């Protein structure tokens, strides 16, 4: 009977600890959802022509631009710790038949140090079909880290550049009007991708004015590297281990000295 009460008490304490951790995580998720309900600024309708003039956009914004075939189009977006960005680009091909068939388009992504970032998956390069009106491209990057070795090419917290251009096109199709759009979405890599350490500052443009650097900052600011969901798992594991130790002790310590045994023996 006593053992049953002990086990019930341990189970109740464990349930209370798990509910507390779940409530903490729920508050964090709710705060993120609330921040996402805020009105987003108007999406840009133009693109830059170089790294220095890249048009700043936010994630989940669909930016558009009108240009000519052969132009290089640049956008810049922020990527924070733990995010796994995916760049989507759509090209509306020129009406001329020569511009619709055989043209090859490519989207490239560079980090704040202008290092080319490889795509984990996605159609980074695509050739337009014979009667295609649009070409859709995508590039999913690796999870953004808080710190990396100097020799590594890991994606780090900061600004990322998107470059869209045509790599193969008939000479008589150069200069034809075309339209392009791009959008960046992200998935959360979770605590499994967390690392110890952090950058002194995010890798943002170091040229121009301070306003130019802030334009590529997330709307809710950069996150710090000290917090990750690993803290919740670590705290939860510690609480459950302590409860398991208390429960094991209560089950194995016995009921004490029998009443028939005299004291001091």
């Amino acid at each position: 009977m006593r053992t049953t009460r002990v086990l019930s008490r341990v189970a109740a304490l464990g349930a209370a600890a798990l509910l507390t951790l779940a409530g903490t995580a729920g508050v964090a998720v709710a705060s993120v959802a609330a921040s996402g309900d805020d009105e987003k600024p108007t999406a840009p309708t133009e693109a830059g022509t170089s790294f220095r003039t890249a048009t700043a956009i936010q994630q989940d914004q669909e930016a558009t631009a009108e240009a000519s075939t052969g132009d290089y189009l640049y956008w810049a977006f922020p990527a924070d710790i733990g995010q796994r960005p995916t760049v989507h680009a759509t090209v509306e091909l020129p009406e001329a038949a020569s511009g619709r068939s055989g043209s090859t388009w490519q989207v490239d992504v560079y980090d704040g140090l202008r290092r080319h970032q490889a795509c984990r998956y996605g159609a980074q390069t695509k050739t337009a079909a014979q009667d295609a009106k649009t070409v859709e491209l995508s590039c999913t990057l690796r999870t953004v880290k808080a710190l990396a070795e100097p020799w590594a090419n890991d994606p780090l917290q900061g600004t990322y550049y998107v470059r869209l251009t045509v790599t193969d096109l008939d000479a008589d199709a150069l200069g034809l009007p075309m339209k392009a759009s791009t959008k960046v979405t992200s998935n959360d890599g979770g605590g499994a991708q967390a690392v110890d350490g952090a950058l002194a500052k995010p890798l943002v443009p170091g040229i121009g004015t301070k306003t130019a650097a802030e334009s590529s900052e997330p709307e809710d600011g950069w996150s710090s590297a000290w917090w990750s969901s690993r803290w919740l798992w670590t705290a939860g594991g510690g609480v459950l281990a302590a409860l398991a130790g208390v429960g094991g002790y209560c089950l194995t310590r016995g009921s004490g000295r029998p009443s028939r045994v005299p004291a001091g023996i």
Side-chain angles (χ1 to χ4, degrees):
M1 197 71 178
R2 181 178 180 181
T3 301
T4 303
R5 290 198 302 269
V6 170
L7 291 177
S8 300
R9 187 174 303 174
V10 171
L13 290 175
L18 291 177
L19 288 175
T20 302
L21 293 175
T24 304
V27 171
V29 172
S31 62
V32 172
S35 63
D37 294 337
D38 297 338
E39 293 186 1
K40 297 183 179 298
T42 304
T45 56
E46 59 182 11
T49 56
S50 66
F51 286 104
R52 293 174 62 92
T53 61
T55 299
I57 62 174
Q58 290 292 328
Q59 293 190 25
D60 296 323
Q61 274 188 332
E62 186 173 5
T64 58
E66 295 185 1
S68 301
T69 54
D71 290 344
Y72 285 84
L73 304 181
Y74 287 81
W75 293 273
F77 69 93
D80 216 339
I81 299 171
Q83 293 182 340
R84 188 183 301 119
T86 299
V87 177
H88 307 271
T90 302
V91 179
E92 295 184 16
L93 300 175
E95 291 297 331
S98 59
R100 277 199 184 176
S101 61
S103 60
T104 302
W105 299 80
Q106 181 170 314
V107 61
D108 295 291
V109 183
Y110 300 84
D111 65 6
L113 298 178
R114 301 186 186 180
R115 303 177 301 180
H116 186 268
Q117 291 295 316
C119 301
R120 292 186 60 194
Y121 50 84
Q124 182 181 4
T125 303
K126 184 177 288 188
T127 300
Q130 182 66 32
D131 298 325
K133 295 183 179 180
T134 61
V135 174
E136 295 183 356
L137 307 168
S138 66
C139 174
T140 299
L141 302 178
R142 294 168 293 168
T143 304
V144 177
K145 294 185 176 182
L147 188 67
E149 296 292 341
W151 48 262
N153 194 36
D154 295 331
L156 297 172
Q157 179 189 44
T159 300
Y160 284 75
Y161 299 94
V162 179
R163 184 180 72 181
L164 175 65
T165 188
V166 62
T167 59
D168 186 14
L169 186 67
D170 295 337
D172 58 352
L174 287 173
L176 293 177
M178 47 82 70
K179 295 181 180 180
S181 63
T182 186
K183 184 178 181 179
V184 180
T185 59
S186 284
N187 293 324
D188 187 5
Q193 302 294 330
V195 297
D196 295 331
L199 297 174
K201 292 183 179 179
L203 301 178
V204 298
I207 57 176
T209 62
K210 182 179 180 181
T211 304
E214 290 177 345
S215 63
S216 59
E217 180 178 340
E219 295 177 349
D220 53 354
W222 297 106
S223 63
S224 60
W226 71 270
W227 168 258
S228 71
S229 60
R230 285 187 177 184
W231 286 96
L232 295 177
W233 288 104
T234 302
V239 171
L240 293 178
L243 293 176
V246 172
Y249 172 76
C250 293
L251 291 174
T252 58
R253 72 187 180 100
S255 58
R257 180 176 56 83
S259 57
R260 64 179 180 275
V261 177
I265 296 180

